[in-house]
Amino acid sequence: MEKIYSKFVKERKKEFQIETAIWKNENGKFITKRNLHKEGECHIQNIYDTFLMYQDKQILCKASLDGNVISFEYVSGNTLEEVFLESVKSGKKENVLEAVQKYEQILSLLCSEKEQADISRETEFTEVFGAPAGSFTGYRNMIFDLTFDNIICQGQSNRVIDYEWRFPFAVEKEFIKFRAVYAFLMKYSENINYLFTKEEFYEVFGLDISKCEIYMEYNRNFINYIYGNEGYNYILERYKKTTMTVCDERSLKMLKIYAIDNDILYENRTYELLLNSIREHRELYDDYHKFFKVTDKVKAISVVGYLFSKEFYEEFGAYIKDFYDMLEYYKHESEQKQKVIDEMSDMLEMKIQENIVLEEKYNHDCEALTNQIRSLEAKLEYIQSCKAYKAFLQKKVEERFK
């Protein structure tokens, strides 16, 4: 059996830190998850309990539990995320609607009417997601992380391949759906924009756009619940910068417009260079899509001169600040890790020297002991060769130790 992939999640709280591994043996591939700390035993057990709870629906990939290690079958096929992306790239809204219907069916299959409850009455909800913003119907024991990339499509059947999160209290179905749509938008908004605006794409899934900010707050609280105040996500949050809101169109129209072809060509080229840089480092800007929402609006109203506008420079300035703040953060992390490496190298060298000294002492002691044994053996051999020993001492010795 060979381990061909391994991923450690150590940024979470101890009770949620796990290793996910892919193994290969003579029968094929399989996946395992195990807790890294004793505090995580309940988390692994909860994953297996989720499989047992939904086993009859045959929607989750099969699992087995051995001690603190849970094993999953390796499921091959296209993810629902790939299905959605192909439907978007086809340029046909009806293809997207078919994919939406498929997701709705999977989501409905995991909602049990007997598990319905009002989330405002679920006291445990607040511990994970914060205070409920209203009185809404949800479902207990829902598969929570039901994103498109966690679903494998195999013809007419589907398999959920990662069901790490499930809560005994009620969670809104729309919240689970929102997380899946939001994650897809973050990855493929440029593809989606050819068919839908962000608001329209949410509406395709029947999501109320006015509640999205509530769901975003729930999701932020969920991340804090997993990672705690010492986690990596919390550290990154310290580097977020407040950026301007989308500016008033009346102020944009006051920008001076220069009707010169060369200026238009120059600014468009400069703008493309900036965009390429931002796309390349998009993970370093905490609101990558908002940059385009603001700057594209400036560009649309002022064909020439938008690069010199206050609005453009404020938004681009926010990006630059986030970029350098994050570089400083990575530099600090790198220096700290190098410090640890240097300390460990020094410790290793010290241990090597100690082992050399111990080895020399061992060799010296071993040689001295060997010489003593040989001396005693020689004395014993001499005694045994004496006539007195042969005459009566040998008999006494044999009787003593008989």
Side-chain angles (χ1 to χ4, degrees), residues 23-66:
W23 301 80
K24 185 178 181 181
N25 58 20
E26 63 276 7
N27 298 319
K29 298 176 184 178
F30 65 97
I31 300 169
T32 62
K33 289 181 184 288
R34 67 177 182 89
N35 53 292
L36 301 182
H37 303 279
K38 186 173 179 60
E39 294 92 328
E41 292 177 355
C42 291
H43 187 57
I44 296 297
Q45 181 65 51
N46 188 62
I47 299 174
Y48 185 62
D49 291 343
T50 300
F51 167 70
L52 297 178
M53 184 176 295
Y54 287 94
Q55 188 172 10
D56 293 341
K57 293 184 181 291
Q58 297 184 351
I59 185 69
L60 308 186
C61 65
K62 295 179 182 178
S64 60
L65 186 65
D66 183 10

Side-chain angles (χ1 to χ4, degrees), residues 28-217:
K29 298 176 184 178
F30 65 97
I31 300 169
T32 62
K33 289 181 184 288
R34 67 177 182 89
N35 53 292
L36 301 182
H37 303 279
K38 186 173 179 60
E39 294 92 328
E41 292 177 355
C42 291
H43 187 57
I44 296 297
Q45 181 65 51
N46 188 62
I47 299 174
Y48 185 62
D49 291 343
T50 300
F51 167 70
L52 297 178
M53 184 176 295
Y54 287 94
Q55 188 172 10
D56 293 341
K57 293 184 181 291
Q58 297 184 351
I59 185 69
L60 308 186
C61 65
K62 295 179 182 178
S64 60
L65 186 65
D66 183 10
N68 68 328
V69 179
I70 183 170
S71 300
F72 304 91
E73 64 173 333
Y74 187 89
V75 182
S76 58
N78 292 328
T79 65
L80 187 58
E81 180 178 270
E82 292 170 325
V83 173
F84 265 109
L85 188 57
E86 286 302 314
S87 68
V88 169
K89 287 182 177 179
S90 72
K92 298 179 180 179
K93 291 186 176 181
E94 56 268 27
N95 292 347
V96 178
L97 294 176
E98 287 180 10
V100 171
Q101 186 62 32
K102 180 187 284 287
Y103 181 73
E104 291 284 2
Q105 291 171 354
I106 296 169
L107 188 57
S108 296
L109 184 63
L110 297 171
C111 295
S112 174
E113 294 301 319
K114 66 179 181 180
E115 297 282 11
Q116 268 194 2
D118 187 335
I119 68 167
S120 65
R121 298 179 182 273
E122 302 283 278
T123 55
E124 293 173 291
F125 183 95
T126 304
E127 297 176 14
V128 180
F129 300 111
S135 178
F136 307 107
T137 299
Y139 296 86
R140 296 188 178 106
N141 292 307
M142 280 283 291
I143 305 296
F144 180 67
D145 205 16
L146 204 65
T147 52
F148 303 152
D149 57 347
N150 275 342
I151 301 171
I152 299 291
C153 302
Q154 298 178 313
Q156 298 301 313
S157 64
N158 305 288
R159 287 288 182 274
V160 178
I161 58 173
D162 190 347
Y163 40 91
E164 183 179 355
W165 301 102
R166 171 183 59 85
F167 300 103
F169 52 83
V171 178
E172 283 182 83
K173 181 170 70 173
E174 288 73 17
F175 175 34
I176 294 172
K177 190 191 304 183
F178 164 80
R179 295 182 77 251
V181 177
Y182 179 75
F184 189 75
L185 276 169
M186 289 296 290
K187 290 182 181 179
Y188 305 111
S189 62
E190 293 179 5
N191 300 94
I192 297 168
N193 287 341
Y194 288 105
L195 283 179
F196 306 96
T197 64
K198 182 179 72 172
E199 291 75 12
E200 288 171 342
F201 196 63
Y202 279 127
E203 289 172 358
V204 164
F205 287 84
L207 289 167
D208 183 352
I209 193 69
S210 65
K211 292 183 65 177
C212 287
E213 188 54 42
I214 295 173
Y215 295 148
M216 285 292 291
E217 182 62 22

